[in-house]
Amino acid sequence: MIYNWKDLLVDAAIVAFVLGMLDLIVGSFPATFSKFLPFLNEHGYQLSLAY
């Protein structure tokens, strides 16, 4: 089977969708994920606008 540019495009779309869903989940519960990911706050990343 030959892997061509259409396959790459489909794979990139799947990865973008999965990362988008993960971002949506993390963004929906910023306080919860701040507890699980404390290193983000240490490095100056802000998970919520409600600080």
Side-chain angles (χ1 to χ4, degrees):
M1 182 175 163
I2 298 173
Y3 190 84
N4 58 20
W5 66 271
K6 289 181 183 178
D7 296 323
L8 180 64
L9 185 64
V10 171
D11 290 344
I14 292 170
V15 169
F17 177 78
V18 170
L19 290 177
M21 292 303 294
L22 184 62
D23 187 41
L24 183 66
I25 293 168
V26 171
S28 297
F29 305 101
T32 303
F33 283 97
S34 292
K35 293 176 187 173
F36 294 126
L37 303 172
F39 61 89
L40 291 177
N41 290 332
E42 292 174 6
H43 296 292
Y45 293 105
Q46 185 174 337
L47 289 177
S48 174
L49 296 175
Y51 272 87

mmCIF file of all heavy atoms in Angstrom:
data_model
loop_
_atom_site.group_PDB
_atom_site.id
_atom_site.type_symbol
_atom_site.label_atom_id
_atom_site.label_comp_id
_atom_site.label_asym_id
_atom_site.label_seq_id
_atom_site.Cartn_x
_atom_site.Cartn_y
_atom_site.Cartn_z
ATOM 1 N N MET A 1 0.839 -1.184 0.000
ATOM 2 C CA MET A 1 0.000 0.000 0.000
ATOM 3 C C MET A 1 0.887 1.252 0.000
ATOM 4 O O MET A 1 1.833 1.351 0.778
ATOM 5 C CB MET A 1 -0.905 -0.018 1.228
ATOM 6 C CG MET A 1 -1.851 1.134 1.300
ATOM 7 S SD MET A 1 -2.951 0.929 2.706
ATOM 8 C CE MET A 1 -3.540 2.572 2.842
ATOM 9 N N ILE A 2 0.559 2.177 -0.828
ATOM 10 C CA ILE A 2 1.344 3.404 -0.937
ATOM 11 C C ILE A 2 0.712 4.476 -0.049
ATOM 12 O O ILE A 2 -0.498 4.697 -0.075
ATOM 13 C CB ILE A 2 1.400 3.889 -2.393
ATOM 14 C CG1 ILE A 2 2.082 2.826 -3.265
ATOM 15 C CG2 ILE A 2 2.112 5.216 -2.490
ATOM 16 C CD1 ILE A 2 2.029 3.128 -4.738
ATOM 17 N N TYR A 3 1.537 5.120 0.745
ATOM 18 C CA TYR A 3 1.093 6.210 1.615
ATOM 19 C C TYR A 3 1.300 7.515 0.858
ATOM 20 O O TYR A 3 2.412 7.925 0.585
ATOM 21 C CB TYR A 3 1.910 6.195 2.907
ATOM 22 C CG TYR A 3 1.399 7.099 3.988
ATOM 23 C CD1 TYR A 3 0.378 6.668 4.833
ATOM 24 C CD2 TYR A 3 1.920 8.365 4.182
ATOM 25 C CE1 TYR A 3 -0.096 7.480 5.846
ATOM 26 C CE2 TYR A 3 1.450 9.190 5.189
ATOM 27 C CZ TYR A 3 0.443 8.744 6.015
ATOM 28 O OH TYR A 3 -0.030 9.545 7.022
ATOM 29 N N ASN A 4 0.208 8.184 0.482
ATOM 30 C CA ASN A 4 0.352 9.397 -0.322
ATOM 31 C C ASN A 4 -0.119 10.622 0.460
ATOM 32 O O ASN A 4 -0.434 10.551 1.634
ATOM 33 C CB ASN A 4 -0.388 9.251 -1.658
ATOM 34 C CG ASN A 4 -1.862 8.962 -1.462
ATOM 35 O OD1 ASN A 4 -2.405 9.222 -0.407
ATOM 36 N ND2 ASN A 4 -2.504 8.425 -2.485
ATOM 37 N N TRP A 5 -0.189 11.761 -0.204
ATOM 38 C CA TRP A 5 -0.487 13.027 0.468
ATOM 39 C C TRP A 5 -1.905 13.073 1.001
ATOM 40 O O TRP A 5 -2.188 13.751 1.980
ATOM 41 C CB TRP A 5 -0.209 14.211 -0.443
ATOM 42 C CG TRP A 5 -1.125 14.289 -1.641
ATOM 43 C CD1 TRP A 5 -0.932 13.709 -2.850
ATOM 44 C CD2 TRP A 5 -2.358 14.992 -1.718
ATOM 45 N NE1 TRP A 5 -1.979 13.995 -3.685
ATOM 46 C CE2 TRP A 5 -2.875 14.791 -3.015
ATOM 47 C CE3 TRP A 5 -3.094 15.765 -0.826
ATOM 48 C CZ2 TRP A 5 -4.088 15.326 -3.428
ATOM 49 C CZ3 TRP A 5 -4.299 16.313 -1.245
ATOM 50 C CH2 TRP A 5 -4.780 16.089 -2.528
ATOM 51 N N LYS A 6 -2.848 12.350 0.380
ATOM 52 C CA LYS A 6 -4.222 12.318 0.881
ATOM 53 C C LYS A 6 -4.283 11.607 2.227
ATOM 54 O O LYS A 6 -5.026 12.019 3.128
ATOM 55 C CB LYS A 6 -5.141 11.626 -0.120
ATOM 56 C CG LYS A 6 -5.381 12.430 -1.369
ATOM 57 C CD LYS A 6 -6.322 11.702 -2.312
ATOM 58 C CE LYS A 6 -6.493 12.479 -3.593
ATOM 59 N NZ LYS A 6 -7.360 11.773 -4.543
ATOM 60 N N ASP A 7 -3.492 10.553 2.380
ATOM 61 C CA ASP A 7 -3.434 9.855 3.660
ATOM 62 C C ASP A 7 -2.844 10.755 4.743
ATOM 63 O O ASP A 7 -3.314 10.772 5.873
ATOM 64 C CB ASP A 7 -2.593 8.582 3.539
ATOM 65 C CG ASP A 7 -3.211 7.572 2.597
ATOM 66 O OD1 ASP A 7 -4.450 7.455 2.588
ATOM 67 O OD2 ASP A 7 -2.445 6.913 1.868
ATOM 68 N N LEU A 8 -1.831 11.506 4.366
ATOM 69 C CA LEU A 8 -1.215 12.441 5.308
ATOM 70 C C LEU A 8 -2.216 13.517 5.731
ATOM 71 O O LEU A 8 -2.293 13.888 6.901
ATOM 72 C CB LEU A 8 0.021 13.079 4.680
ATOM 73 C CG LEU A 8 0.777 14.070 5.547
ATOM 74 C CD1 LEU A 8 1.354 13.372 6.772
ATOM 75 C CD2 LEU A 8 1.878 14.740 4.748
ATOM 76 N N LEU A 9 -3.001 13.996 4.789
ATOM 77 C CA LEU A 9 -4.010 15.008 5.080
ATOM 78 C C LEU A 9 -5.075 14.463 6.037
ATOM 79 O O LEU A 9 -5.474 15.136 6.991
ATOM 80 C CB LEU A 9 -4.654 15.475 3.775
ATOM 81 C CG LEU A 9 -5.650 16.618 3.876
ATOM 82 C CD1 LEU A 9 -4.951 17.879 4.367
ATOM 83 C CD2 LEU A 9 -6.297 16.860 2.540
ATOM 84 N N VAL A 10 -5.513 13.240 5.808
ATOM 85 C CA VAL A 10 -6.500 12.621 6.684
ATOM 86 C C VAL A 10 -5.921 12.405 8.077
ATOM 87 O O VAL A 10 -6.573 12.694 9.085
ATOM 88 C CB VAL A 10 -7.002 11.285 6.084
ATOM 89 C CG1 VAL A 10 -7.851 10.524 7.088
ATOM 90 C CG2 VAL A 10 -7.788 11.547 4.822
ATOM 91 N N ASP A 11 -4.693 11.935 8.162
ATOM 92 C CA ASP A 11 -4.053 11.728 9.456
ATOM 93 C C ASP A 11 -3.880 13.046 10.213
ATOM 94 O O ASP A 11 -4.100 13.114 11.423
ATOM 95 C CB ASP A 11 -2.701 11.044 9.290
ATOM 96 C CG ASP A 11 -2.840 9.599 8.859
ATOM 97 O OD1 ASP A 11 -3.943 9.034 8.978
ATOM 98 O OD2 ASP A 11 -1.825 9.035 8.381
ATOM 99 N N ALA A 12 -3.513 14.103 9.504
ATOM 100 C CA ALA A 12 -3.361 15.416 10.135
ATOM 101 C C ALA A 12 -4.706 15.923 10.640
ATOM 102 O O ALA A 12 -4.790 16.521 11.719
ATOM 103 C CB ALA A 12 -2.743 16.399 9.154
ATOM 104 N N ALA A 13 -5.768 15.691 9.894
ATOM 105 C CA ALA A 13 -7.109 16.106 10.325
ATOM 106 C C ALA A 13 -7.546 15.341 11.570
ATOM 107 O O ALA A 13 -8.135 15.920 12.486
ATOM 108 C CB ALA A 13 -8.109 15.891 9.192
ATOM 109 N N ILE A 14 -7.244 14.062 11.631
ATOM 110 C CA ILE A 14 -7.587 13.260 12.809
ATOM 111 C C ILE A 14 -6.826 13.749 14.029
ATOM 112 O O ILE A 14 -7.405 13.919 15.108
ATOM 113 C CB ILE A 14 -7.320 11.763 12.538
ATOM 114 C CG1 ILE A 14 -8.295 11.238 11.490
ATOM 115 C CG2 ILE A 14 -7.408 10.954 13.825
ATOM 116 C CD1 ILE A 14 -7.977 9.856 10.975
ATOM 117 N N VAL A 15 -5.544 14.001 13.884
ATOM 118 C CA VAL A 15 -4.734 14.495 14.998
ATOM 119 C C VAL A 15 -5.233 15.864 15.452
ATOM 120 O O VAL A 15 -5.358 16.124 16.652
ATOM 121 C CB VAL A 15 -3.239 14.548 14.603
ATOM 122 C CG1 VAL A 15 -2.427 15.292 15.637
ATOM 123 C CG2 VAL A 15 -2.702 13.136 14.418
ATOM 124 N N ALA A 16 -5.564 16.750 14.512
ATOM 125 C CA ALA A 16 -6.073 18.072 14.866
ATOM 126 C C ALA A 16 -7.400 17.965 15.602
ATOM 127 O O ALA A 16 -7.641 18.693 16.580
ATOM 128 C CB ALA A 16 -6.239 18.912 13.605
ATOM 129 N N PHE A 17 -8.263 17.049 15.187
ATOM 130 C CA PHE A 17 -9.549 16.857 15.851
ATOM 131 C C PHE A 17 -9.361 16.349 17.273
ATOM 132 O O PHE A 17 -9.972 16.866 18.209
ATOM 133 C CB PHE A 17 -10.413 15.869 15.046
ATOM 134 C CG PHE A 17 -11.721 15.562 15.712
ATOM 135 C CD1 PHE A 17 -12.758 16.473 15.650
ATOM 136 C CD2 PHE A 17 -11.903 14.369 16.386
ATOM 137 C CE1 PHE A 17 -13.965 16.189 16.259
ATOM 138 C CE2 PHE A 17 -13.101 14.081 17.001
ATOM 139 C CZ PHE A 17 -14.148 14.990 16.933
ATOM 140 N N VAL A 18 -8.494 15.369 17.444
ATOM 141 C CA VAL A 18 -8.251 14.806 18.774
ATOM 142 C C VAL A 18 -7.639 15.856 19.702
ATOM 143 O O VAL A 18 -8.060 15.998 20.855
ATOM 144 C CB VAL A 18 -7.358 13.547 18.680
ATOM 145 C CG1 VAL A 18 -6.887 13.094 20.052
ATOM 146 C CG2 VAL A 18 -8.102 12.429 17.983
ATOM 147 N N LEU A 19 -6.675 16.625 19.210
ATOM 148 C CA LEU A 19 -6.079 17.678 20.030
ATOM 149 C C LEU A 19 -7.092 18.771 20.356
ATOM 150 O O LEU A 19 -7.090 19.317 21.461
ATOM 151 C CB LEU A 19 -4.853 18.266 19.330
ATOM 152 C CG LEU A 19 -3.646 17.346 19.245
ATOM 153 C CD1 LEU A 19 -2.530 18.020 18.452
ATOM 154 C CD2 LEU A 19 -3.162 16.931 20.614
ATOM 155 N N GLY A 20 -7.966 19.085 19.423
ATOM 156 C CA GLY A 20 -9.015 20.066 19.667
ATOM 157 C C GLY A 20 -9.992 19.599 20.735
ATOM 158 O O GLY A 20 -10.403 20.378 21.600
ATOM 159 N N MET A 21 -10.363 18.334 20.693
ATOM 160 C CA MET A 21 -11.269 17.792 21.711
ATOM 161 C C MET A 21 -10.592 17.782 23.079
ATOM 162 O O MET A 21 -11.219 18.098 24.094
ATOM 163 C CB MET A 21 -11.720 16.374 21.331
ATOM 164 C CG MET A 21 -12.610 16.330 20.109
ATOM 165 S SD MET A 21 -14.097 17.343 20.250
ATOM 166 C CE MET A 21 -14.963 16.488 21.530
ATOM 167 N N LEU A 22 -9.322 17.440 23.114
ATOM 168 C CA LEU A 22 -8.585 17.455 24.374
ATOM 169 C C LEU A 22 -8.494 18.874 24.923
ATOM 170 O O LEU A 22 -8.679 19.092 26.126
ATOM 171 C CB LEU A 22 -7.190 16.870 24.164
ATOM 172 C CG LEU A 22 -6.314 16.734 25.403
ATOM 173 C CD1 LEU A 22 -6.964 15.785 26.413
ATOM 174 C CD2 LEU A 22 -4.945 16.227 25.017
ATOM 175 N N ASP A 23 -8.253 19.834 24.045
ATOM 176 C CA ASP A 23 -8.200 21.237 24.457
ATOM 177 C C ASP A 23 -9.558 21.702 24.981
ATOM 178 O O ASP A 23 -9.636 22.443 25.958
ATOM 179 C CB ASP A 23 -7.754 22.101 23.282
ATOM 180 C CG ASP A 23 -7.523 23.541 23.683
ATOM 181 O OD1 ASP A 23 -6.959 23.765 24.771
ATOM 182 O OD2 ASP A 23 -7.900 24.423 22.910
ATOM 183 N N LEU A 24 -10.619 21.270 24.351
ATOM 184 C CA LEU A 24 -11.968 21.619 24.795
ATOM 185 C C LEU A 24 -12.258 21.042 26.173
ATOM 186 O O LEU A 24 -12.819 21.719 27.035
ATOM 187 C CB LEU A 24 -12.993 21.115 23.774
ATOM 188 C CG LEU A 24 -14.446 21.453 24.046
ATOM 189 C CD1 LEU A 24 -14.648 22.965 23.941
ATOM 190 C CD2 LEU A 24 -15.339 20.745 23.057
ATOM 191 N N ILE A 25 -11.852 19.804 26.407
ATOM 192 C CA ILE A 25 -12.071 19.171 27.704
ATOM 193 C C ILE A 25 -11.268 19.862 28.791
ATOM 194 O O ILE A 25 -11.781 20.178 29.860
ATOM 195 C CB ILE A 25 -11.732 17.663 27.629
ATOM 196 C CG1 ILE A 25 -12.725 16.947 26.733
ATOM 197 C CG2 ILE A 25 -11.695 17.043 29.020
ATOM 198 C CD1 ILE A 25 -12.332 15.542 26.368
ATOM 199 N N VAL A 26 -9.991 20.129 28.527
ATOM 200 C CA VAL A 26 -9.143 20.800 29.510
ATOM 201 C C VAL A 26 -9.649 22.216 29.760
ATOM 202 O O VAL A 26 -9.694 22.673 30.902
ATOM 203 C CB VAL A 26 -7.666 20.818 29.046
ATOM 204 C CG1 VAL A 26 -6.824 21.704 29.945
ATOM 205 C CG2 VAL A 26 -7.102 19.403 29.036
ATOM 206 N N GLY A 27 -10.081 22.911 28.733
ATOM 207 C CA GLY A 27 -10.583 24.268 28.881
ATOM 208 C C GLY A 27 -11.908 24.338 29.612
ATOM 209 O O GLY A 27 -12.243 25.359 30.212
ATOM 210 N N SER A 28 -12.666 23.252 29.581
ATOM 211 C CA SER A 28 -13.948 23.235 30.266
ATOM 212 C C SER A 28 -13.799 23.076 31.771
ATOM 213 O O SER A 28 -14.684 23.474 32.525
ATOM 214 C CB SER A 28 -14.813 22.092 29.733
ATOM 215 O OG SER A 28 -15.098 22.305 28.377
ATOM 216 N N PHE A 29 -12.724 22.484 32.205
ATOM 217 C CA PHE A 29 -12.510 22.227 33.626
ATOM 218 C C PHE A 29 -11.129 22.731 34.048
ATOM 219 O O PHE A 29 -10.281 21.939 34.469
ATOM 220 C CB PHE A 29 -12.624 20.731 33.933
ATOM 221 C CG PHE A 29 -13.923 20.131 33.476
ATOM 222 C CD1 PHE A 29 -13.990 19.400 32.312
ATOM 223 C CD2 PHE A 29 -15.077 20.317 34.211
ATOM 224 C CE1 PHE A 29 -15.185 18.846 31.881
ATOM 225 C CE2 PHE A 29 -16.273 19.772 33.795
ATOM 226 C CZ PHE A 29 -16.338 19.036 32.627
ATOM 227 N N PRO A 30 -10.868 24.035 33.960
ATOM 228 C CA PRO A 30 -9.520 24.539 34.234
ATOM 229 C C PRO A 30 -9.071 24.341 35.682
ATOM 230 O O PRO A 30 -7.903 24.073 35.921
ATOM 231 C CB PRO A 30 -9.604 26.021 33.881
ATOM 232 C CG PRO A 30 -11.038 26.350 33.977
ATOM 233 C CD PRO A 30 -11.777 25.111 33.595
ATOM 234 N N ALA A 31 -9.988 24.451 36.628
ATOM 235 C CA ALA A 31 -9.605 24.297 38.036
ATOM 236 C C ALA A 31 -9.182 22.858 38.318
ATOM 237 O O ALA A 31 -8.204 22.614 39.023
ATOM 238 C CB ALA A 31 -10.756 24.699 38.942
ATOM 239 N N THR A 32 -9.896 21.914 37.748
ATOM 240 C CA THR A 32 -9.568 20.501 37.956
ATOM 241 C C THR A 32 -8.218 20.156 37.347
ATOM 242 O O THR A 32 -7.383 19.509 37.981
ATOM 243 C CB THR A 32 -10.653 19.610 37.318
ATOM 244 O OG1 THR A 32 -11.912 19.965 37.879
ATOM 245 C CG2 THR A 32 -10.380 18.141 37.577
ATOM 246 N N PHE A 33 -7.984 20.607 36.118
ATOM 247 C CA PHE A 33 -6.735 20.270 35.459
ATOM 248 C C PHE A 33 -5.555 21.056 36.027
ATOM 249 O O PHE A 33 -4.420 20.635 35.890
ATOM 250 C CB PHE A 33 -6.856 20.454 33.946
ATOM 251 C CG PHE A 33 -7.618 19.334 33.290
ATOM 252 C CD1 PHE A 33 -8.964 19.466 33.009
ATOM 253 C CD2 PHE A 33 -6.991 18.138 33.000
ATOM 254 C CE1 PHE A 33 -9.671 18.427 32.426
ATOM 255 C CE2 PHE A 33 -7.691 17.094 32.419
ATOM 256 C CZ PHE A 33 -9.039 17.242 32.125
ATOM 257 N N SER A 34 -5.833 22.196 36.664
ATOM 258 C CA SER A 34 -4.746 22.927 37.327
ATOM 259 C C SER A 34 -4.190 22.115 38.489
ATOM 260 O O SER A 34 -3.004 22.196 38.799
ATOM 261 C CB SER A 34 -5.248 24.269 37.838
ATOM 262 O OG SER A 34 -5.548 25.113 36.761
ATOM 263 N N LYS A 35 -5.047 21.335 39.128
ATOM 264 C CA LYS A 35 -4.586 20.476 40.228
ATOM 265 C C LYS A 35 -3.723 19.335 39.699
ATOM 266 O O LYS A 35 -2.743 18.948 40.325
ATOM 267 C CB LYS A 35 -5.789 19.908 40.983
ATOM 268 C CG LYS A 35 -6.578 20.945 41.730
ATOM 269 C CD LYS A 35 -7.799 20.335 42.374
ATOM 270 C CE LYS A 35 -8.683 21.406 42.977
ATOM 271 N NZ LYS A 35 -9.947 20.868 43.465
ATOM 272 N N PHE A 36 -4.118 18.778 38.545
ATOM 273 C CA PHE A 36 -3.386 17.649 37.982
ATOM 274 C C PHE A 36 -2.138 18.072 37.219
ATOM 275 O O PHE A 36 -1.229 17.278 37.023
ATOM 276 C CB PHE A 36 -4.286 16.827 37.060
ATOM 277 C CG PHE A 36 -5.416 16.141 37.769
ATOM 278 C CD1 PHE A 36 -6.715 16.315 37.344
ATOM 279 C CD2 PHE A 36 -5.173 15.331 38.860
ATOM 280 C CE1 PHE A 36 -7.758 15.681 37.988
ATOM 281 C CE2 PHE A 36 -6.212 14.700 39.516
ATOM 282 C CZ PHE A 36 -7.505 14.871 39.081
ATOM 283 N N LEU A 37 -2.127 19.326 36.749
ATOM 284 C CA LEU A 37 -1.008 19.813 35.959
ATOM 285 C C LEU A 37 -0.401 21.058 36.599
ATOM 286 O O LEU A 37 -0.388 22.134 35.999
ATOM 287 C CB LEU A 37 -1.478 20.136 34.532
ATOM 288 C CG LEU A 37 -2.146 18.995 33.767
ATOM 289 C CD1 LEU A 37 -2.733 19.498 32.474
ATOM 290 C CD2 LEU A 37 -1.171 17.875 33.511
ATOM 291 N N PRO A 38 0.139 20.942 37.814
ATOM 292 C CA PRO A 38 0.655 22.124 38.507
ATOM 293 C C PRO A 38 1.877 22.736 37.818
ATOM 294 O O PRO A 38 2.150 23.919 37.991
ATOM 295 C CB PRO A 38 1.016 21.608 39.894
ATOM 296 C CG PRO A 38 1.253 20.149 39.696
ATOM 297 C CD PRO A 38 0.317 19.734 38.603
ATOM 298 N N PHE A 39 2.592 21.954 37.016
ATOM 299 C CA PHE A 39 3.779 22.476 36.349
ATOM 300 C C PHE A 39 3.421 23.544 35.327
ATOM 301 O O PHE A 39 4.251 24.376 34.987
ATOM 302 C CB PHE A 39 4.586 21.354 35.694
ATOM 303 C CG PHE A 39 3.828 20.599 34.644
ATOM 304 C CD1 PHE A 39 3.846 21.021 33.330
ATOM 305 C CD2 PHE A 39 3.111 19.463 34.976
ATOM 306 C CE1 PHE A 39 3.159 20.334 32.353
ATOM 307 C CE2 PHE A 39 2.418 18.772 34.008
ATOM 308 C CZ PHE A 39 2.438 19.213 32.694
ATOM 309 N N LEU A 40 2.178 23.550 34.828
ATOM 310 C CA LEU A 40 1.772 24.591 33.886
ATOM 311 C C LEU A 40 1.744 25.956 34.560
ATOM 312 O O LEU A 40 2.163 26.954 33.982
ATOM 313 C CB LEU A 40 0.396 24.278 33.294
ATOM 314 C CG LEU A 40 0.329 23.087 32.345
ATOM 315 C CD1 LEU A 40 -1.102 22.851 31.900
ATOM 316 C CD2 LEU A 40 1.217 23.311 31.139
ATOM 317 N N ASN A 41 1.248 26.008 35.782
ATOM 318 C CA ASN A 41 1.195 27.271 36.504
ATOM 319 C C ASN A 41 2.591 27.736 36.900
ATOM 320 O O ASN A 41 2.846 28.929 36.964
ATOM 321 C CB ASN A 41 0.314 27.147 37.740
ATOM 322 C CG ASN A 41 -1.157 27.014 37.379
ATOM 323 O OD1 ASN A 41 -1.585 27.494 36.344
ATOM 324 N ND2 ASN A 41 -1.917 26.368 38.234
ATOM 325 N N GLU A 42 3.488 26.811 37.183
ATOM 326 C CA GLU A 42 4.856 27.167 37.558
ATOM 327 C C GLU A 42 5.590 27.838 36.408
ATOM 328 O O GLU A 42 6.435 28.700 36.615
ATOM 329 C CB GLU A 42 5.635 25.926 37.994
ATOM 330 C CG GLU A 42 5.149 25.328 39.301
ATOM 331 C CD GLU A 42 5.845 24.023 39.622
ATOM 332 O OE1 GLU A 42 6.778 23.646 38.885
ATOM 333 O OE2 GLU A 42 5.448 23.371 40.586
ATOM 334 N N HIS A 43 5.271 27.456 35.186
ATOM 335 C CA HIS A 43 5.958 28.002 34.020
ATOM 336 C C HIS A 43 5.206 29.173 33.399
ATOM 337 O O HIS A 43 5.553 29.618 32.310
ATOM 338 C CB HIS A 43 6.179 26.908 32.975
ATOM 339 C CG HIS A 43 7.083 25.818 33.469
ATOM 340 N ND1 HIS A 43 8.416 26.024 33.723
ATOM 341 C CD2 HIS A 43 6.846 24.528 33.782
ATOM 342 C CE1 HIS A 43 8.959 24.897 34.159
ATOM 343 N NE2 HIS A 43 8.013 23.976 34.203
ATOM 344 N N GLY A 44 4.170 29.640 34.060
ATOM 345 C CA GLY A 44 3.481 30.833 33.606
ATOM 346 C C GLY A 44 2.347 30.608 32.633
ATOM 347 O O GLY A 44 1.804 31.558 32.092
ATOM 348 N N TYR A 45 1.961 29.357 32.383
ATOM 349 C CA TYR A 45 0.830 29.108 31.504
ATOM 350 C C TYR A 45 -0.452 29.276 32.287
ATOM 351 O O TYR A 45 -0.561 28.844 33.418
ATOM 352 C CB TYR A 45 0.902 27.696 30.913
ATOM 353 C CG TYR A 45 2.065 27.520 29.977
ATOM 354 C CD1 TYR A 45 3.190 26.803 30.369
ATOM 355 C CD2 TYR A 45 2.034 28.061 28.715
ATOM 356 C CE1 TYR A 45 4.260 26.653 29.520
ATOM 357 C CE2 TYR A 45 3.090 27.915 27.853
ATOM 358 C CZ TYR A 45 4.200 27.202 28.264
ATOM 359 O OH TYR A 45 5.259 27.057 27.419
ATOM 360 N N GLN A 46 -1.433 29.910 31.680
ATOM 361 C CA GLN A 46 -2.690 30.182 32.344
ATOM 362 C C GLN A 46 -3.775 29.320 31.717
ATOM 363 O O GLN A 46 -4.027 29.408 30.522
ATOM 364 C CB GLN A 46 -3.014 31.664 32.200
ATOM 365 C CG GLN A 46 -4.235 32.091 32.955
ATOM 366 C CD GLN A 46 -4.403 33.602 32.873
ATOM 367 O OE1 GLN A 46 -3.437 34.323 32.642
ATOM 368 N NE2 GLN A 46 -5.601 34.075 33.048
ATOM 369 N N LEU A 47 -4.440 28.487 32.535
ATOM 370 C CA LEU A 47 -5.462 27.602 32.015
ATOM 371 C C LEU A 47 -6.843 28.257 32.011
ATOM 372 O O LEU A 47 -7.753 27.750 31.401
ATOM 373 C CB LEU A 47 -5.530 26.317 32.847
ATOM 374 C CG LEU A 47 -4.356 25.358 32.692
ATOM 375 C CD1 LEU A 47 -4.527 24.181 33.622
ATOM 376 C CD2 LEU A 47 -4.243 24.882 31.271
ATOM 377 N N SER A 48 -7.010 29.363 32.688
ATOM 378 C CA SER A 48 -8.315 29.976 32.789
ATOM 379 C C SER A 48 -8.179 31.491 32.783
ATOM 380 O O SER A 48 -7.203 32.045 33.254
ATOM 381 C CB SER A 48 -9.008 29.519 34.066
ATOM 382 O OG SER A 48 -10.219 30.205 34.235
ATOM 383 N N LEU A 49 -9.211 32.144 32.285
ATOM 384 C CA LEU A 49 -9.235 33.611 32.321
ATOM 385 C C LEU A 49 -9.828 34.119 33.627
ATOM 386 O O LEU A 49 -9.852 35.310 33.868
ATOM 387 C CB LEU A 49 -10.038 34.140 31.139
ATOM 388 C CG LEU A 49 -9.461 33.839 29.756
ATOM 389 C CD1 LEU A 49 -10.419 34.307 28.681
ATOM 390 C CD2 LEU A 49 -8.100 34.483 29.584
ATOM 391 N N ALA A 50 -10.322 33.231 34.464
ATOM 392 C CA ALA A 50 -10.996 33.614 35.693
ATOM 393 C C ALA A 50 -10.041 33.610 36.881
ATOM 394 O O ALA A 50 -10.314 33.051 37.928
ATOM 395 C CB ALA A 50 -12.156 32.672 35.945
ATOM 396 N N TYR A 51 -8.891 34.253 36.749
ATOM 397 C CA TYR A 51 -7.936 34.314 37.857
ATOM 398 C C TYR A 51 -8.224 35.495 38.729
ATOM 399 O O TYR A 51 -8.596 36.533 38.340
ATOM 400 C CB TYR A 51 -6.496 34.421 37.320
ATOM 401 C CG TYR A 51 -5.894 33.072 37.071
ATOM 402 C CD1 TYR A 51 -6.080 32.424 35.871
ATOM 403 C CD2 TYR A 51 -5.145 32.442 38.041
ATOM 404 C CE1 TYR A 51 -5.545 31.188 35.631
ATOM 405 C CE2 TYR A 51 -4.579 31.206 37.815
ATOM 406 C CZ TYR A 51 -4.781 30.589 36.621
ATOM 407 O OH TYR A 51 -4.225 29.366 36.399
#
